[in-house]
Amino acid sequence: MRTFKLQVQTTVDGYMAGPNGEMDWMTFPWTDDINTYIDAITDPVDCIVLGRNLAEGFIPAWASGPQGETQETIDWMNNTPKVVISNTLTESPWDNATVAGGDLAETVNKLKAQPGGDIITYGGGTLVRDLIAKGLLDELHLFVNPAAIGTGMPVFPDLGAPQRLRLVTARPFECGITALHYEPKRS
């Protein structure tokens, strides 16, 4: 069974975006130590899962070769197959991406049962909430930025029940971000 990971940037008060999607609180530039850490998380990954809203900006942004990113990272992001979770799209408008709709748990469990490396998601808010609430993630990698914004899109909105997590590791980086690696506690 493949491992399904969440990697998300968050504020110290638990938001992955401001109330209007603002990301201006994120810490840049990153330092070599955080880049090495992220490389270790993504090295075994051969599938990226995105929500439709995030995919609409994420896929074209990487296709354009964003400034400040290495060519190796740009190539990895563009060449890694993507699955876009959507009940409104019927086919993918993007290269190297397929669309999957319907029951989220069924879709994720089919992906996890396929042969291959790890799977990673970078979000969208609705997708992250649903993946956490349904217990579909195996690892949560929260990159806590040294900023508080007071309101916005929470990583853990009202999920309907407490989510018990086990801390695997906490790692501070020179740029000020701290990575918290959790695994869900399964009953």
Side-chain angles (χ1 to χ4, degrees):
M1 179 87 44
R2 299 164 84 179
T3 299
F4 192 14
K5 305 172 183 181
L6 165 66
Q7 179 183 324
V8 67
Q9 297 284 328
T10 180
T11 61
V12 294
D13 52 349
Y15 296 101
M16 66 173 93
N20 299 306
E22 301 92 344
M23 306 292 282
D24 56 350
W25 48 266
M26 289 175 46
T27 300
F28 289 108
W30 285 354
T31 46
D32 289 342
D33 56 345
I34 193 171
N35 288 325
T36 300
Y37 184 88
I38 290 172
D39 288 347
I41 292 169
T42 57
D43 186 52
V45 170
D46 66 4
C47 178
I48 299 171
V49 173
L50 302 167
R52 181 190 53 83
N53 287 338
L54 180 61
E56 288 174 345
F58 182 96
I59 296 172
W62 282 104
S64 71
Q67 279 189 316
E69 297 292 345
T70 66
Q71 191 60 50
E72 180 181 5
T73 301
I74 292 167
D75 291 345
W76 184 85
M77 284 292 192
N78 288 321
N79 295 331
T80 302
K82 293 158 198 69
V83 176
V84 177
I85 304 297
S86 175
N87 288 321
T88 57
L89 292 175
T90 55
E91 61 183 46
S92 173
W94 307 287
D95 292 337
N96 205 23
T98 58
V99 173
D103 182 78
L104 180 61
E106 186 178 308
T107 298
V108 168
N109 288 328
K110 282 182 186 176
L111 281 173
K112 288 172 74 169
Q114 293 173 357
D118 293 350
I119 304 164
I120 197 163
T121 186
Y122 299 109
T126 302
L127 178 61
V128 168
R129 178 199 64 214
D130 293 346
L131 290 169
I132 293 169
K134 294 176 186 294
L136 297 171
L137 295 165
D138 301 302
E139 298 180 4
L140 292 83
H141 297 271
L142 309 176
F143 286 80
V144 182
N145 287 252
I149 60 174
T151 187
M153 181 186 304
V155 175
F156 297 95
D158 182 7
L159 299 170
Q163 300 297 307
R164 308 269 184 229
L165 304 171
R166 182 181 73 80
L167 180 65
V168 176
T169 189
R171 169 90 189 274
F173 299 103
E174 292 174 26
C175 62
I177 293 173
T178 299
L180 301 175
H181 173 189
Y182 289 102
E183 292 177 350
K185 284 187 177 179
R186 311 272 191 219
S187 29

